[in-house]
Structure formats: C-alpha cells, structure tokens
Amino acid sequence: MAELVYRPVIGAARTMFKALDLKIDTQGSEHIPKTGGAVLVSNHISYLDFIFTGLGALPQKRLVRFMAKESVFRHKVSGPLMRGMKHIPVDRNQGEDAYAHALRSLRSGEIVGVFPEATISQSFTLKSFKSGAARLAQEAGVPLIPMALWGTQRIWTKGRPRNFKRSHIPITIRVGEPVEAPADQYAGAITRRLRERVQELLEAAQRAYPVRPKDASDTWWVPAHLGGTAPTPAEVRERG
C-alpha cells in the first residue's frame, strides 16, 4: 500500500533537520530486519524521539509504526498525520485495544516502535522498562531491536524551551543486535535483558557524542552522574 502521508512527512523532517544543521550520526541500522515484524525499542529523552527513532530504520527502507498517546490523534493537526502514518493510539484506560492493534501490525510484518519507559526521562538516564514490548514480541514471534538516542534532549525536552535555531546540534543514534523473545521465557527476564542492551547502547552513544557543554550554563542536558546539572532520578521522583 502506498505511503501517501508517511514519506512526505519524512521528507519534511529531513528538510527541517537540514535547515537546523543537525549532525546526525547513525550506526547499527543493519540490525533492523529488511522484512518482517519487529519491536523497535528506544530510550526516551525528547518530544522528537519518535522522529529520530524512525530515521534509524530508514537505511533498511523500513517505516516504523509508533505507539503514541491517544490525545495526539485527537489534535486537529497531528491527528490526521498520525492516522495517515498508521501509528497506534494508546488510551491508558483501554490499553488492551492498543496492544491488539500493535499485535496485528507485527503479525502483518510491520515494525512497531515502543518507548518502554512510557514517559520522557528528565534525568536523561534510563528509567525502568514496562514489559509490554517484550510481551508483544513474544506473542507475535518477532525480535526486539534495541536503540539509544543522545542529543535529542537539546532540541526539545520536558521542562525546557524548544531550540529550533540553527545551532548545529549533534544527534547520535545507536542500534543494537536483536534481542530474542522466546514464548517460554518470563517477560520480565526478557525486559531486563533488553534494558541492559539499551543501557549499553546509551553509554556508547554518550561516549561517541562529539561535543561537551560550552560553559556552566550549558550543563543542563548532561546527567548528574556524568558531571552535568540535570536532576538525578531521585530528584525527579521528589518533584512528582
């Protein structure tokens, strides 16, 4: 079926990124299968992560169907686009509908994108993972593909103003080898293994990141354990 919405949206995003002069460094895209279903799993540090996660799959000519909040589908601008790109609405009060929709997509050979932390990590460290991605992969008989993003928080993240200036921000994307999800294994164990893989990729992306904060006022995007001034996970929890 022709992708009358998704491909033009990708083109528009690429044009915007070129105008911003973003330096996008992607490695590991060959781990994304060229055909068949898979669950693509990434960390979550920015409102734009779904775009960059999708870019990580493009070298394999794959389009990712993301699970996203149902409210986004009700917006007069984003709603028609989300539906046109065949993304999957998630209503927290009716999660079983979204799960069934994602399962159908996987079984039909689609790649489904999931952020198992559920919400943006304001500490820019990896939060705990929900087990839904592992359960989907088990039930559909498809692999989990781990991914990590770094630098996206510098463009637009929770609690910070958007930075859509031509500021030459580097974006690092790392994709890892598939994590199998056998049906006879406990989903929690698979989820722990998956989180460890994403953590390894995140650390690799951070090591590869080509710039450091310019001065003391620019340390907000660096996690506390790496010497930055982002809130610690405990401080985020205290804020509620």
Side-chain angles (χ1 to χ4, degrees):
M1 187 180 295
E3 296 288 346
L4 300 179
V5 177
Y6 211 139
R7 295 194 188 282
V9 168
I10 291 171
R14 283 175 154 171
T15 298
M16 181 182 76
F17 295 158
K18 187 173 183 180
L20 295 174
D21 195 30
L22 301 184
K23 310 296 185 183
I24 301 175
D25 169 26
T26 304
Q27 292 184 19
S29 291
E30 68 275 8
H31 296 308
I32 294 172
K34 289 187 175 181
T35 60
V39 181
L40 186 57
V41 174
S42 175
N43 65 318
H44 197 13
I45 52 176
S46 164
Y47 289 115
L48 301 179
D49 286 342
F50 70 98
I51 299 178
F52 293 104
T53 301
L55 285 181
L58 282 183
Q60 296 292 78
K61 298 181 170 56
R62 298 304 304 271
L63 300 177
V64 182
R65 316 299 177 181
F66 287 96
M67 301 184 75
K69 289 189 300 184
E70 191 268 340
S71 59
V72 179
F73 290 77
R74 286 189 272 107
H75 190 276
K76 63 181 180 180
V77 175
S78 62
L81 293 175
M82 295 294 282
R83 288 189 291 273
M85 289 186 279
K86 305 184 185 74
H87 294 315
I88 302 167
V90 178
D91 182 338
R92 289 183 178 175
N93 296 321
Q94 296 179 315
E96 66 277 4
D97 290 344
Y99 185 92
H101 187 164
L103 199 55
R104 288 195 301 272
S105 295
L106 290 168
R107 285 173 171 165
S108 67
E110 299 276 13
I111 292 182
V112 171
V114 176
F115 296 105
E117 296 169 277
T119 57
I120 289 173
S121 170
Q122 293 178 268
S123 67
F124 310 131
T125 61
L126 210 57
K127 295 160 51 177
S128 61
F129 277 20
K130 297 184 181 300
S131 64
R135 291 187 289 108
L136 277 170
Q138 284 182 299
E139 196 166 345
V142 301
L144 294 149
I145 310 296
M147 175 184 284
L149 306 171
W150 192 246
T152 62
Q153 75 273 33
R154 299 179 64 197
I155 303 173
W156 189 14
T157 194
K158 191 171 183 178
R160 300 286 305 188
R162 295 187 296 267
N163 179 9
F164 287 160
K165 300 176 183 176
R166 188 177 171 84
S167 45
H168 324 292
I169 292 173
I171 303 295
T172 302
I173 303 171
R174 293 291 181 267
V175 187
E177 295 180 358
V179 174
E180 297 303 320
D184 61 350
Q185 287 190 12
Y186 176 51
I190 297 170
T191 300
R192 285 192 293 273
R193 191 158 67 246
L194 177 66
R195 187 184 181 281
E196 288 170 0
R197 292 281 188 88
V198 175
Q199 179 66 41
E200 291 168 1
L201 292 167
L202 177 58
E203 291 173 4
Q206 291 168 337
R207 288 193 299 270
Y209 201 65
V211 300
R212 297 292 178 265
K214 297 187 294 290
D215 52 41
S217 67
D218 189 42
T219 59
W220 65 267
W221 54 271
V222 179
H225 75 277
L226 294 179
T229 53
T232 65
E235 288 170 340
V236 173
R237 286 192 296 271
E238 287 173 7
R239 291 177 183 176

